[in-house]
Amino acid sequence: MTRITVPVEVRWSDLDANGHVNNVAFLTILEEVRIRHLHVFRSRADQARGRASAVVARHEVEYLAPMPWSERPVRVDLWVSRVGGASIEVCHQIRSPEGDPETTYARAVSVIVYLDPATQRPRGIRADERAAFAELADEPLALRGPVAPAALAR
């Protein structure tokens, strides 16, 4: 069970009119962490060809608390909870800066599908990729699921 924790600076431009980080900026933060730290998403050969070797197929985000701007970086935990035939499930938690009271601002699960660079169709995950993901394996997140409209009115 290995998770990595990555510090990410929140940009002033990530704030919305309410003074907290906009919901769309959360996805940008998660993308930055995945690109910087899951190097097996793209091989150098695929980058040289300018072809995608992995794409996001799905995001599910659970916003738990407003995230304020801070001079100190927030902490993003990242791990792989499932490796399938052509896709992986990546889990994330965005937490308060180190030294602040412990707050989890959001939890998210993203499904990444691997593509054949020539055809841009899903391809099987290779043995070397599976081995790399095994080093980041941990339990899946248990998200709350959809909120019923009646619950929102309370």
Side-chain angles (χ1 to χ4, degrees):
M1 292 178 25
T2 303
R3 298 179 183 193
I4 59 173
T5 300
V6 180
V8 177
E9 292 184 17
V10 175
R11 303 169 304 181
W12 186 256
S13 62
D14 292 336
L15 300 180
D16 62 17
N18 296 316
H20 54 70
V21 175
N22 183 279
N23 65 299
V24 174
F26 278 73
L27 292 174
T28 302
I29 290 168
L30 299 180
E31 175 187 48
E32 180 180 332
V33 170
R34 280 193 316 273
I35 289 171
R36 286 191 336 198
H37 294 281
L38 289 180
H39 305 291
V40 291
F41 278 163
R42 279 186 77 135
S43 72
R44 293 199 187 282
D46 294 342
Q47 290 175 13
R49 286 188 212 103
R51 295 297 204 102
S53 60
V55 294
V56 173
R58 182 171 188 262
H59 285 303
E60 186 172 353
V61 182
E62 187 172 81
Y63 299 97
L64 301 170
M67 183 165 56
W69 182 83
S70 174
E71 290 182 1
R72 291 179 292 132
V74 295
R75 295 169 292 160
V76 181
D77 302 322
L78 174 80
W79 67 98
V80 175
S81 61
R82 183 189 63 76
V83 179
S87 66
I88 64 169
E89 189 173 86
V90 181
C91 297
H92 317 75
Q93 288 189 129
I94 302 177
R95 299 183 295 130
S96 52
E98 192 167 336
D100 283 6
E102 186 63 36
T103 303
T104 300
Y105 300 122
R107 300 183 308 175
V109 177
S110 300
V111 175
I112 311 297
V113 175
Y114 281 79
L115 303 177
D116 177 289
T119 66
Q120 295 295 281
R121 303 288 304 156
R123 64 149 174 92
I125 294 176
R126 299 184 311 254
D128 62 321
E129 293 167 330
R130 286 183 187 281
F133 292 135
E135 294 177 19
L136 294 172
D138 205 339
E139 295 296 317
L141 277 173
L143 300 178
R144 293 180 295 201
V147 178
L152 296 173
R154 290 184 196 153

